[in-house]
Amino acid sequence: MREERRLEREKLRTSKFDLVTSLFTALILFIGTFVLMLFIVWLTSRMSFPPQAIKPIIENPAGRGENAEGFERDFEPPGAEEVEELMEPTLQDTIEAVTDAVSNVAATLDTMNTNATASTTGTGKGDSRPPGPEGEGEDIIPRFERWQLNFSAKALKDYAAQLDFYEIELGAIGGSIQGVDVANNLAGSPKSRRIVDTKSEKRLYFMWTSPSPLMQFDRQLLQKAGVQLANRQMMKFIPTNLENQLAHIELEYATAKGHPSVTEIAKTIFESTADGNSYKFEVVDQRYRKPRK
């Protein structure tokens, strides 16, 4: 009986063959799992995930186009009497008005007696909309007027790298050349192309309004691309994706300051800053419009 039990225990005891087999099985599983993880890492590094599209903020600013400036919504030009109301009185007119008031001269309901010639031919009161392309819309200062983009760069290479990162293109317009010349790939070998039909170009663009050291960088990059600049105006073309990003950044900043509508914004100044190996725009200053009475 004891002998039978001993034999049974011997059968159940782990042999050296079982130990070696288990070791190799565990090693194979470990190597297989490790190789699978390396394959997943390699596969994900080869895959590119496009950035999530940002919902555009649509703005529809009102503009009077070529209509005469006025204080009503009338497409006819204002007459001399109405124009007179829009004119700021001269110093002589103001002195005469004060003298009349002190002398207790009877007041009338007529407009101030200025040098404007009276006429009864004018029937319109002008257009009260702000300057800009003609159209109905909200009372908004257009982006090309209220936005200012600042770049911080000490060297041409750094400046060009920022423009390429944002996919901003430089351009030149005017002079005796028809159309606009546009240059890209600025940090490498700048390449230029000419857009003859300028009406087809719908991108937001900015021009220099005051001297800046970066103007020389723009000039060098355009000349490197073979663009003629004699008697021409330099500009920056902003891609649609970047314009949408700036609009969201602007509105988030304004909302945090208690101004949740773009109708309240008078000026937004962005600045490009380094963000690791990339760049990003931040709002460094924002001014707001005075509420209309």
Side-chain angles (χ1 to χ4, degrees):
M1 193 68 175
R2 291 180 178 178
E3 185 65 21
E4 292 178 357
R5 291 180 178 177
R6 187 181 66 79
L7 293 175
E8 289 293 333
R9 286 196 295 268
E10 288 293 334
K11 292 179 181 180
L12 297 174
R13 184 174 298 173
T14 303
S15 63
K16 293 182 179 180
F17 176 79
D18 294 333
L19 291 173
V20 173
T21 303
S22 300
L23 177 63
F24 276 106
T25 302
L27 185 61
I28 291 172
L29 290 174
F30 173 77
I31 294 175
T33 303
F34 183 73
V35 171
L36 179 61
M37 293 177 62
L38 289 178
F39 175 75
I40 293 174
V41 172
W42 174 83
L43 185 63
T44 54
S45 64
R46 301 277 296 182
M47 297 174 62
S48 59
F49 300 95
Q52 187 176 2
I54 300 177
K55 185 178 180 180
I57 298 177
I58 305 299
E59 294 183 6
N60 185 27
R64 63 174 177 266
E66 297 180 356
N67 297 321
E69 181 181 2
F71 51 88
E72 293 291 343
R73 189 60 62 84
D74 189 343
F75 297 115
E76 295 185 24
E81 294 86 350
E82 290 83 15
V83 172
E84 189 176 272
E85 295 183 15
L86 297 174
M87 295 172 57
E88 183 177 352
T90 63
L91 179 59
Q92 183 64 30
D93 295 332
T94 304
I95 294 175
E96 291 179 2
V98 173
T99 303
D100 292 342
V102 173
S103 303
N104 294 323
V105 176
T108 68
L109 296 178
D110 295 336
T111 56
M112 186 175 295
N113 184 22
T114 67
N115 295 326
T117 304
S119 174
T120 58
T121 58
T123 59
K125 296 184 178 180
D127 198 322
S128 61
R129 290 173 293 184
E134 184 175 358
E136 300 293 337
E138 297 181 276
D139 183 18
I140 300 174
I141 298 178
R143 290 172 178 172
F144 64 87
E145 288 188 7
R146 76 171 190 266
W147 283 3
Q148 177 179 328
L149 306 184
N150 293 341
F151 297 85
S152 178
K154 296 181 179 179
L156 178 64
K157 185 177 181 180
D158 182 29
Y159 177 63
Q162 293 183 57
L163 297 181
D164 282 350
F165 176 80
Y166 296 119
E167 298 182 358
I168 295 176
E169 293 184 332
L170 296 179
I173 192 172
S176 59
I177 300 176
Q178 182 180 3
V180 56
D181 290 325
V182 179
N184 56 18
N185 192 31
L186 304 171
S189 300
K191 301 177 181 178
S192 64
R193 69 183 189 279
R194 179 166 298 171
I195 302 174
V196 178
D197 184 13
T198 55
K199 293 183 179 180
S200 63
E201 181 57 69
K202 303 298 183 182
R203 288 178 296 176
L204 179 68
Y205 64 88
F206 293 92
M207 293 183 175
W208 291 102
T209 57
S210 59
S212 169
L214 297 183
M215 288 182 63
Q216 186 61 28
F217 286 166
D218 282 357
R219 185 175 299 275
Q220 293 178 23
L221 292 171
L222 287 170
Q223 289 176 341
K224 190 176 180 181
V227 177
Q228 299 181 19
L229 297 177
N231 300 321
R232 306 186 77 188
Q233 180 72 36
M234 296 183 295
M235 57 178 58
K236 286 184 176 68
F237 287 97
I238 309 301
T240 303
N241 290 337
L242 177 59
E243 182 180 353
N244 291 335
Q245 292 177 17
L246 294 175
H248 280 273
I249 294 172
E250 175 190 46
L251 187 57
E252 290 176 1
Y253 185 92
T255 301
K257 297 294 184 179
H259 299 273
S261 175
V262 293
T263 59
E264 305 177 42
I265 303 175
K267 187 76 172 180
T268 301
I269 301 177
F270 301 91
E271 184 170 337
S272 174
T273 59
D275 184 23
N277 295 327
S278 60
Y279 302 92
K280 65 178 181 180
F281 274 110
E282 295 179 345
V283 177
V284 294
D285 189 23
Q286 195 172 69
R287 297 189 289 273
Y288 306 100
R289 306 169 73 182
K290 295 181 180 180
R292 292 190 174 184
K293 297 181 180 179

